[in-house]
Amino acid sequence: MPDVGKIWVGRWKAQFGETLDGPIQTDPIGLSYILRATGPITTDGGETITADDVVSKVENEAYIRFGDGDQSRRKAYLLDIAAKSSRNLINANDPQKLLTALHGAASDHRHRVYIRRESQQQSMPRTP
């Protein structure tokens, strides 16, 4: 994650002119934990994505639906899922349920974090 995190922080700065402390990456199974706590999302295309089907949607169905020739639409679809899930996360109604889900995902190593400050990044492997 440190190498990817540096790239993401650099790209964000180049595009938006802001310096981030660092990104947090969640894999599809970790995203299912979050959706279980926050509820389903609805994509711009009207599709409902739930905790029970998000993994198959992002790991399989997106590639089948859009194929190799339509990478920009597949990327837009996946970014839509990520954006809507992030919005759910920020607006969660049950903080205890959300914290439990995030803890479970972290315990299962479903999140990756990069912190731009080197001393803090070095402490990450020791932080569950």
Side-chain angles (χ1 to χ4, degrees):
M1 181 61 176
D3 293 334
V4 172
K6 289 175 187 175
I7 292 168
W8 287 348
V9 167
R11 293 181 87 186
W12 187 273
K13 173 112 176 148
Q15 185 168 351
F16 300 105
E18 299 172 337
T19 302
L20 298 177
D21 289 331
I24 299 171
Q25 177 263 330
T26 301
D27 73 13
I29 294 172
L31 181 56
S32 75
Y33 293 12
I34 292 168
L35 291 180
R36 194 159 314 284
T38 63
I41 60 163
T42 303
T43 67
D44 287 342
E47 180 180 6
T48 299
I49 309 284
T50 69
D52 294 328
D53 64 11
V54 68
V55 174
S56 65
K57 297 278 185 187
V58 302
E59 288 188 344
N60 298 315
E61 292 178 36
Y63 293 88
I64 294 168
R65 182 184 305 176
F66 299 109
D68 290 336
D70 208 350
Q71 292 181 19
S72 62
R73 284 188 54 213
R74 182 178 67 238
K75 182 178 177 181
Y77 173 74
L78 295 172
L79 286 172
D80 185 30
I81 292 171
K84 298 291 182 351
S85 299
S86 296
R87 202 164 300 130
N88 264 16
L89 178 71
I90 291 167
N91 296 315
N93 293 324
D94 188 339
Q96 183 62 44
K97 193 173 182 180
L98 179 59
L99 287 174
T100 299
L102 291 172
H103 180 267
S107 296
D108 290 349
H109 305 285
R110 299 294 175 188
H111 302 304
R112 297 287 181 257
V113 177
Y114 168 73
I115 301 173
R116 192 173 42 84
R117 292 178 185 86
E118 188 63 33
S119 63
Q120 293 172 344
Q121 179 62 33
Q122 289 175 359
S123 73
M124 291 303 295
R126 297 184 308 271
T127 307

